[in-house]
Amino acid sequence: MNRDSNFYTFLFVGIMIVGIASILAFTSQTLKPMQDENVKNEKMQNILSTVGINVSRDEAEESYKKFITQELALKIDGSINENINPFSDLNLAKELKKDYEDQHFPLYVAEINSEKYYIIELRGTGLWDAIWGYISLKSDFNTVNGVSFDHKGETAGLGAEITKEWFKESFKDEKIFDNEGKLVGITVLKGNNDPNNSDKDDHEVDAISGSTITGDGVTDMIYERINNYLPYLTIINGKVSMR
Amino acid sequence: MNKKNNKKPTFLFIGRNSTDGIFSKKNKKLLSDPLDDNNPITVQVLGICSALAITVQLKPAVVMTASVIFVMACSNVIISILRNLIPNRIRIIVFLVVISSLVALVDQFLKAYAYDVSKELSIFIGLIVTNCIVMGRLEAYALGNSVWKSFLDGIGNAIGYGVILILVAFFRELLGSGNLWGMQVVPDFLYESWYVNNGLMLLSPMALITVGIIIWIQRSFNKKLIEKG
């Protein structure tokens, strides 16, 4: 056959596409369960790391079952939707695209040495793409116990530094509410004159040089996501104060 | 084009049309040439982009090398098998489809079996597609040579690329963070007395300079590479 004819070219392309598409689809389908398992275990790892439990990915599931005592799917008014499993059914990225009234937010409760911790899922936008993470609050619903961050495509060495231990460490013991009980979140700020982050009541942590926009993304994501949990926190907090 | 040759395709038949054996001198040269005389990075100065991006640490550099060896060997073999079937006008597109499918395969396997590494390399695995060495070898070699030779050529060039990558990563990780393969090798007492890690080594400009120094050293030893006049 004439290799330069249009017919041959189209025939070749057609066969090539069908062949390659089937190979790729087959591989992707075969490996999917293992990939999902990895993603699931990593999520458990991240949730656990905010309450100070660092385990390898293989041990994540075991520790998760041990320490996470409650998984709640919260409606926008703060009530609990029992029909949704927050860990497997809730995808925060998709939730945030829904209508406001239909959104659900996952809340994980961890219990370690009979201390309760409340873990809130975060999601926002960095410089290039999505950033996400978890933040755990102590039982006063105000003091940060720990955070974990991850990102899709922030610049290595700059924005990607938000995943580093020293950055996450600086959030510890910061407060998210001001003295009047108003939510202020935690601001990632340049020039807060507190590079060692010794002041834990200023609602500020020191920013990473060269990653202003990623840092602003972290600030926004903490404020906005915790904002979604305020109705629930009010309900729970009311109970706490009555006791 | 030589029509006689076309009638007798060398489809998968290793060395049938050539008179030399599997590891003849000529074939061995295909493996050894890209390591020194015709190194893709230091002589042809191709694939520099990834040499800058993933040489901060040794581990990703080694994984990248392994992935590139796989992709180049496979794509060279596939293109060489198909070389008498590929329509000339769309050959570059065919190259791209073959390379990117192989890269997608590597990516899928890493995600399933080496999740941490795949997270670390993230977009750089995808960027193998744009590695000019792969495309260059397909166009320059695999399209006109038998399967076995193309296979050797692919392996040779990928190793030539990988050797430089690993060499650069070795110095960058050692001098930049005092580690090798993620483990500390610079002893603590040096840090306590006077030694400080060179943070500049972690930034991409130093990768270029390191490659430059390697080129300099290579040329001062290999007389063949020195331009005359």
Side-chain angles (χ1 to χ4, degrees):
Chain A
M1 199 185 288
N2 179 9
R3 272 209 287 154
D4 288 325
S5 72
N6 286 346
F7 176 73
Y8 181 83
T9 307
F10 278 111
L11 184 74
F12 185 90
V13 169
I15 294 173
M16 178 178 76
I17 287 172
V18 172
I20 283 178
S22 8
I23 293 173
L24 287 182
F26 176 76
T27 332
S28 161
Q29 285 303 314
T30 329
L31 297 176
K32 192 114 201 336
M34 293 177 72
Q35 295 173 352
D36 289 347
E37 182 77 12
N38 282 336
V39 172
K40 189 188 94 190
N41 286 341
E42 194 201 14
K43 188 173 172 181
M44 290 179 170
Q45 243 182 335
N46 286 339
I47 292 175
L48 287 172
S49 77
T50 63
V51 286
I53 296 169
N54 293 309
V55 286
S56 76
R57 220 174 27 247
D58 299 331
E59 300 160 352
E61 192 160 0
E62 199 182 317
S63 309
Y64 184 85
K65 280 188 183 137
K66 191 172 158 198
F67 292 112
I68 305 293
T69 50
Q70 269 180 297
E71 294 171 317
L72 307 170
L74 303 179
K75 287 189 213 164
I76 205 73
D77 60 0
S79 59
I80 296 161
N81 188 339
E82 304 276 357
N83 302 325
I84 296 178
N85 177 350
F87 187 86
S88 51
D89 301 344
L90 275 190
N91 180 338
L92 196 54
K94 283 185 190 152
E95 288 300 312
L96 293 173
K97 283 185 188 135
K98 288 185 185 167
D99 289 335
Y100 186 68
E101 306 86 59
D102 298 336
Q103 292 180 353
H104 285 84
F105 300 97
L107 180 75
Y108 306 95
V109 185
E111 212 172 313
I112 299 160
N113 301 332
S114 59
E115 269 301 313
K116 270 194 174 181
Y117 299 98
Y118 296 83
I119 304 161
I120 288 171
E121 190 170 347
L122 305 171
R123 191 168 184 97
T125 320
L127 172 62
W128 302 114
D129 214 317
I131 50 176
W132 60 89
Y134 297 90
I135 184 167
S136 73
L137 303 175
K138 289 183 179 163
S139 45
D140 63 353
F141 295 106
N142 188 9
T143 318
V144 175
N145 181 66
V147 291
S148 89
F149 295 125
D150 208 343
H151 64 97
K152 192 170 177 195
E154 298 307 295
T155 320
L158 301 173
E161 295 285 290
I162 58 167
T163 60
K164 291 281 162 69
E165 214 46 57
W166 61 265
F167 183 69
K168 294 189 282 190
E169 196 69 22
S170 58
F171 283 84
K172 251 184 197 161
D173 298 329
E174 287 283 344
K175 312 279 191 299
I176 55 168
F177 291 98
D178 66 7
N179 290 335
E180 280 126 42
K182 200 173 145 259
L183 177 67
V184 283
I186 298 163
T187 308
V188 180
L189 193 70
K190 285 189 178 181
N192 67 344
N193 296 326
D194 183 20
N196 294 329
N197 211 54
S198 42
D199 184 355
K200 292 296 185 185
D201 295 315
D202 59 356
H203 314 288
E204 287 170 357
V205 295
D206 201 33
I208 305 163
S209 36
S211 60
T212 312
I213 295 177
T214 311
D216 290 349
V218 172
T219 306
D220 292 346
M221 135 174 123
I222 290 175
Y223 181 81
E224 284 165 16
R225 291 297 81 76
I226 293 180
N227 212 4
N228 297 132
Y229 290 83
L230 282 186
Y232 177 77
L233 294 190
T234 326
I235 294 172
I236 293 292
N237 245 339
K239 280 182 193 159
V240 169
S241 60
M242 271 164 73
R243 195 167 50 182
Chain B
M1 204 179 276
N2 191 342
K3 286 229 162 136
K4 263 186 189 166
N5 253 346
N6 269 351
K7 276 186 182 166
K8 223 167 119 202
T10 48
F11 189 82
L12 258 184
F13 305 126
I14 293 165
R16 192 170 89 164
N17 277 4
S18 62
T19 43
D20 24 83
I22 285 181
F23 275 116
S24 66
K25 226 179 186 178
K26 240 179 171 176
N27 284 352
K28 270 189 194 151
K29 215 169 148 47
L30 285 174
L31 273 177
S32 63
D33 231 23
L35 294 184
D36 187 7
D37 291 354
N38 211 359
N39 189 290
I41 293 189
T42 59
V43 179
Q44 299 172 27
V45 199
L46 292 173
I48 288 292
C49 7
S50 49
L52 302 187
I54 47 140
T55 49
V56 177
Q57 283 162 345
L58 206 48
K59 199 174 164 193
V62 171
V63 177
M64 184 71 165
T65 305
S67 314
V68 169
I69 290 177
F70 171 78
V71 170
M72 281 195 76
C74 291
S75 61
N76 261 14
V77 166
I78 292 171
I79 293 298
S80 177
I81 290 173
L82 296 176
R83 70 184 187 279
N84 292 325
L85 298 170
I86 297 171
N88 201 33
R89 279 182 294 176
I90 57 161
R91 64 182 193 285
I92 302 283
I93 298 171
V94 176
F95 295 166
L96 262 183
V97 171
V98 169
I99 299 169
S100 46
S101 328
L102 285 169
V103 168
L105 283 182
V106 172
D107 192 37
Q108 293 287 321
F109 272 99
L110 283 183
K111 268 190 191 141
Y113 293 101
Y115 189 68
D116 297 303
V117 179
S118 98
K119 275 202 76 160
E120 214 165 325
L121 289 175
S122 59
I123 53 166
F124 298 118
I125 284 290
L127 285 181
I128 297 178
V129 179
T130 63
N131 192 327
C132 8
I133 302 172
V134 188
M135 187 76 102
R137 292 325 292 173
L138 293 184
E139 170 80 3
Y141 200 88
L143 203 58
N145 286 283
S146 66
V147 176
W148 177 244
K149 281 184 175 172
S150 304
F151 176 74
L152 291 180
D153 181 76
I155 299 267
N157 274 282
I159 293 177
Y161 163 82
V163 165
I164 303 296
L165 216 62
I166 292 168
L167 209 59
V168 175
F170 175 83
F171 285 111
R172 286 182 77 188
E173 189 173 2
L174 180 65
L175 301 176
S177 43
N179 297 344
L180 279 180
W181 204 266
M183 271 168 301
Q184 189 180 337
V185 286
V186 177
D188 280 327
F189 70 85
L190 268 182
Y191 283 117
E192 279 154 22
S193 50
W194 55 273
Y195 183 78
V196 182
N197 284 330
N198 185 349
L200 190 61
M201 287 302 288
L202 299 177
L203 304 176
S204 0
M206 280 312 284
L208 259 192
I209 293 174
T210 315
V211 171
I213 293 173
I214 292 174
I215 294 179
W216 178 20
I217 295 172
Q218 189 193 8
R219 291 203 171 213
S220 57
F221 282 102
N222 192 339
K223 297 281 178 267
K224 272 185 246 170
L225 295 176
I226 300 168
E227 285 99 357
K228 289 178 187 89

